[in-house]
Amino acid sequence: MQVSTQVRAAQGDQMAGDVVHLEDLLDDGRLSAACPTRVVLDHVTSKWGVLLLLALSEGSQRWSELRRTVEGISEKMLAQTLRTLEVDGLVERTVAATIPPRVDYSLTPLGRELVAHLLPLMGWISANAEEMLAGRA
Amino acid sequence: MQVSTQVRAAQGDQMAGDVVHLEDLLDDGRLSAACPTRVVLDHVTSKWGVLLLLALSEGSQRWSELRRTVEGISEKMLAQTLRTLEVDGLVERTVAATIPPRVDYSLTPLGRELVAHLLPLMGWISANAEEMLAGRA
DNA sequence: CAGCATCCCGTACGATACTG
DNA sequence: CAGTATCGTACGGGATGCTG
């Protein structure tokens, strides 16, 4: 899945007018299976990915803080998800060599860009969730 | 996870200035486990949810078209995902009682609102995916 | 405190076959 | 064409226990 330079141009440090169309995301008219976008999408939309990114949206948090903020996450998934987000360059890990050890997690500039797009989405979902689950359309 | 009326106000038919902060999404300082938002989020961010919504973003598509557009999806998951999206009121199913049968899927107004938030996100991911997977943080 | 390692299970998902 | 039904499996993910 390639993306037109047009779209790339629309994504500056700030969120621009953001008129993105499906065609820009299509590869040969399809949502191609073998494209990096799918992989990243899977990371971000993994069960805990969005939640963690959100939790970090307002500043760095420690391991234990994240555990509490993101209710229900297990240590295993916390570690695992944080690592993939770190490898993807969305989250930064800062270790303080003290005793007891202290580790802080924060968003990278890239991560902050992503979250900027995530927040409106989450806001909308949050605002409409109850209505959606209430029943029929 | 309740949402402040403030956020709700920010989400009209059109996308507004969209300044959403984490606090607006928090319940008692946490990303609460037992909230409708989590459920909807799981539906939308399910493996095929985003892809299907995107595929429908530019107009209705038939069952078979969707299969082709969303590369790699199985019939089972196509049916399953479409049904949960339909129940959530995001997708509408239109059956033409002809032979052979013809079924069209399209976004509801609600679905179109959601996709409006999804497109910029996908645009960004698409634009940055390769870079992210390329390597280092 | 901040984590790996291990075990184990549920279910999400895919492949295949059949139907209106 | 547009699905359901059935089956089997891989992997996501939780529980527990150990380490620097």
Side-chain angles (χ1 to χ4, degrees), chain B residues 62-64 75 93 101 103 105:
Chain B
R62 305 181 57 175
W63 167 275
S64 44
E75 297 193 342
R93 199 182 112 109
V103 182
Y105 293 90

Side-chain angles (χ1 to χ4, degrees), chain A residues 124 132, chain B residues 44 85-86 88-92 106-108 110-111 114:
Chain A
W124 185 91
M132 289 170 60
Chain B
V44 171
L85 292 179
E86 191 191 353
D88 285 348
L90 296 171
V91 164
E92 187 178 15
S106 58
L107 293 179
T108 64
L110 206 63
L114 177 58

Side-chain angles (χ1 to χ4, degrees), chain A residues 62-64 75 93 103 105:
Chain A
R62 304 180 57 176
W63 167 275
S64 44
E75 296 193 342
R93 198 181 113 110
V103 183
Y105 293 90

Side-chain angles (χ1 to χ4, degrees), chain B residues 4 10 12 15 21 33 36 43-44 47 49 54 58 66 72-73 75 80 86 90-91 102 108 110 116 123:
Chain B
S4 68
M15 292 170 29
H21 287 285
H43 294 178
V44 171
K47 182 165 188 183
L54 243 54
E58 308 240 305
L66 284 174
I73 194 170
E75 297 193 342
Q80 197 172 109
E86 191 191 353
L90 296 171
V91 164
R102 177 196 174 98
T108 64
L110 206 63

Side-chain angles (χ1 to χ4, degrees), chain B residues 8-133:
Chain B
R8 170 162 253 123
Q11 312 294 333
D13 293 337
Q14 307 299 330
M15 292 170 29
D18 280 339
V19 181
V20 183
H21 287 285
L22 178 64
E23 324 148 28
D24 302 321
L25 303 173
L26 285 179
D27 179 19
D28 193 24
R30 329 174 77 191
L31 293 164
S32 172
C35 69
T37 301
R38 283 272 194 107
V39 179
V40 174
L41 191 65
D42 278 351
H43 294 178
V44 171
T45 65
S46 69
K47 182 165 188 183
W48 302 107
V50 186
L51 269 1
L52 279 176
L53 289 171
L54 243 54
L56 292 173
S57 68
E58 308 240 305
S60 72
Q61 279 198 254
R62 305 181 57 175
W63 167 275
S64 44
E65 288 178 316
L66 284 174
R67 280 220 66 181
R68 263 175 287 114
T69 305
V70 181
E71 198 172 286
I73 194 170
S74 67
E75 297 193 342
K76 180 181 176 181
M77 292 320 296
L78 181 54
Q80 197 172 109
T81 309
L82 280 174
R83 232 178 305 122
T84 76
L85 292 179
E86 191 191 353
V87 170
D88 285 348
L90 296 171
V91 164
E92 187 178 15
R93 199 182 112 109
T94 313
V95 186
T98 60
I99 293 182
R102 177 196 174 98
V103 182
D104 284 84
Y105 293 90
S106 58
L107 293 179
T108 64
L110 206 63
R112 251 174 271 124
E113 275 188 51
L114 177 58
V115 167
H117 293 277
L118 239 32
L119 279 172
L121 177 65
M122 286 302 299
W124 185 90
I125 291 183
S126 181
N128 291 86
E130 290 194 53
E131 173 187 353
M132 289 170 58
L133 296 178

Side-chain angles (χ1 to χ4, degrees), chain A residues 10-88:
Chain A
Q11 314 294 332
D13 293 338
Q14 309 299 329
M15 291 170 32
D18 279 338
V19 182
V20 182
H21 287 284
L22 178 63
E23 324 148 29
D24 301 321
L25 304 173
L26 285 179
D27 179 19
D28 193 24
R30 329 172 79 190
L31 292 163
S32 172
C35 68
T37 301
R38 282 270 194 110
V39 179
V40 174
L41 191 64
D42 278 351
H43 293 178
V44 171
T45 66
S46 70
K47 182 166 188 180
W48 303 107
V50 185
L51 268 4
L52 278 176
L53 289 170
L54 242 53
L56 292 172
S57 67
E58 308 241 303
S60 71
Q61 280 197 251
R62 304 180 57 176
W63 167 275
S64 44
E65 289 178 315
L66 283 174
R67 281 219 65 182
R68 263 174 288 115
T69 305
V70 182
E71 196 172 287
I73 194 171
S74 67
E75 296 193 342
K76 178 182 175 179
M77 293 319 296
L78 181 54
Q80 198 174 105
T81 309
L82 279 174
R83 230 180 304 121
T84 75
L85 292 179
E86 191 190 354
V87 170
D88 286 348

